[in-house]
Amino acid sequence: MFNLVIVGSGCAGNTAAIYAARANLKPLVVKGHHPGGQLSLTTLVENFPGFPEGINGPDLVENIKKQAQTFGAEFKEGAVVEADLSKRPFRLNIEGDWIETRTLIIASGASARWLGLPNEQNLIGHGVSSCATCDGFFYRDKKIMVVGGGDSAMEEANFLTRFGREVALVHRRDQFRASKIMLDRARNNPKITFVLNTVVEDVFDASKGLVTGARLRNGVTGKVWEQEVDGFFVAIGHIPNTAVFRGQIETDADGYVISKSGARTNIPGVFHAGDVQDRVYRQAVTASGMGCMAAMEAERFLEAEGH
Ligand code: NAP
């Protein structure tokens, strides 16, 4: 029987583990399908406080993990495939291995939706990105492409004009999901060019280890062409990793956990941290902050119950 199980080993989960381990809760972190979370997909992180020279994403999240292990947090390979949160102790099936816990922190994150292009995954962190706030700075005076037609795409395209020489916004239709105000802001930005009714067929050049261009196809005219770009930002939404808790934890229509103030969910003893609840900020530092909050709430919950 664990006092606390933390599902997810990104910034949120690993930071929760530091706080919980220092409070002697002996937490177990279930690493999940993508150990290290989204930071493990990035290269240099320049906006996490405390690293004036920046730090590599995978190193940052590994350091947070080591810090948690120093205080006694345990890490377990595998992902939760089934959960019973109907009564306490909560029961979790970790790929065939059932465990019980008094409290739970869901820090399983949200995965960026990718286009599924042949060379996309090879170039993530080398010109392909899903986070303008994280990576925009690297494209000063460069040519940037943003894919998507929602608020995220408009926001990222606008933000990226602070750095890039020009931003091409590629969208597969000529109608937008983006709100009018965000769309108008992008339309009125002289650095943004709209490339509509157009899909991306591939991004290259994986053999050089960096992005040099993309092949596009206009769905109406059938025209195919190659366009030079240095930075390729995919902004077609995120998928919160909450499927395994569906029907038990209250979520919104897209699957994001609904917060009941602080780090609380609708189930007493179950807390949330990081992108699994956050569709707005999605930063390493905010995820870490939420991890801290969730661990402190779990600790108080256990104390109130006499554990
Ligand atoms: P979204 O509204 O679901 O938009 C996703 C966009 O990506 C759509 O234009 C969609 O095209 C396109 N897309 C999806 N799959 C694609 C594919 N395989 N190939 C090409 N294009 C694809 O997602 P979002 O922009 O991330 O926004 C999510 C939510 O967060 C929304 O409620 C939004 O309002 C909110 N948000 C708010 C703010 C803000 O207010 N500051 C900022 C960001 C996000 P189709 O339209 O053709 O389906």
Side-chain angles (χ1 to χ4, degrees):
M1 163 80 78
F2 291 92
N3 285 315
L4 170 63
V5 169
I6 299 164
V7 178
S9 57
C11 288
N14 289 0
T15 304
I18 295 176
Y19 276 78
R22 290 191 77 254
N24 265 342
L25 298 185
K26 299 191 170 39
L28 177 76
V29 181
V30 181
K31 287 184 172 180
H33 288 302
H34 300 287
Q38 293 206 54
L39 271 189
S40 64
L41 299 177
T42 60
T43 46
L44 192 63
V45 177
E46 293 184 317
N47 53 10
F48 199 91
F51 299 94
E53 312 296 327
I55 179 169
N56 270 316
D59 293 343
L60 173 58
V61 75
E62 181 64 21
N63 284 350
I64 306 177
K65 176 184 158 198
K66 283 189 191 143
Q67 201 171 338
Q69 285 173 319
T70 305
F71 298 109
E74 279 179 46
F75 285 74
K76 184 177 173 65
E77 300 291 335
V80 176
V81 294
E82 210 180 337
D84 179 3
L85 310 182
S86 61
K87 55 183 182 306
R88 277 186 275 140
F90 306 122
R91 295 177 71 240
L92 302 170
N93 178 352
I94 319 293
E95 297 179 9
D97 188 5
W98 281 95
I99 58 171
E100 292 188 337
T101 181
R102 295 189 175 101
T103 59
L104 177 66
I105 294 176
I106 302 175
S108 43
S111 307
R113 210 186 281 274
W114 296 103
L115 290 162
L117 309 174
N119 283 303
E120 191 177 36
Q121 295 292 315
N122 295 330
L123 288 166
I124 290 174
H126 303 280
V128 171
S129 170
S130 61
C131 178
T133 314
C134 317
D135 299 327
F137 187 78
F138 302 119
Y139 299 96
R140 201 168 278 283
D141 294 326
K142 304 273 189 193
K143 291 182 181 172
I144 297 173
M145 186 171 283
V146 176
V147 185
D151 281 337
S152 293
M154 300 309 137
E155 191 170 67
E156 302 232 327
N158 269 311
F159 178 76
L160 288 164
T161 59
R162 293 187 199 180
F163 309 103
R165 190 172 359 137
E166 55 192 68
V167 174
L169 188 131
V170 177
H171 179 36
R172 62 184 176 183
R173 298 189 294 149
D174 59 3
Q175 302 294 311
F176 296 87
R177 284 180 203 274
S179 53
K180 188 173 176 324
I181 186 167
M182 305 275 281
L183 180 58
D184 286 349
R185 207 171 286 159
R187 278 188 168 136
N188 292 332
N189 188 321
K191 280 191 176 177
I192 299 178
T193 310
F194 281 72
V195 185
L196 301 181
N197 296 315
T198 297
V199 294
V200 183
E201 290 193 333
D202 204 2
V203 57
F204 28 83
D205 186 341
S207 68
K208 291 190 179 138
L210 81 166
V211 167
T212 58
R215 189 172 63 248
L216 306 176
R217 180 170 50 80
N218 184 303
V220 176
T221 64
K223 180 186 161 195
V224 176
W225 74 102
E226 290 184 1
Q227 194 158 320
E228 260 181 40
V229 287
D230 307 294
F232 183 85
F233 288 80
V234 179
I236 61 170
H238 284 76
I239 307 166
N241 301 316
T242 51
V244 79
F245 304 110
R246 196 165 292 155
Q248 305 186 72
I249 290 293
E250 209 180 309
T251 65
D252 66 15
D254 294 329
Y256 285 91
V257 173
I258 293 178
S259 183
K260 300 290 176 180
S261 100
R264 270 165 252 156
T265 69
N266 59 307
I267 301 179
V270 181
F271 306 92
H272 61 76
D275 288 8
V276 79
Q277 179 269 330
D278 176 12
R279 55 160 88 232
V280 179
Y281 303 105
R282 296 179 178 143
Q283 299 303 296
V285 68
T286 52
S288 275
M290 281 298 289
C292 157
M293 289 163 64
M296 289 178 73
E297 297 218 19
E299 184 194 347
R300 284 174 194 165
F301 182 90
L302 286 165
E303 197 172 280
E305 298 234 315
H307 295 294

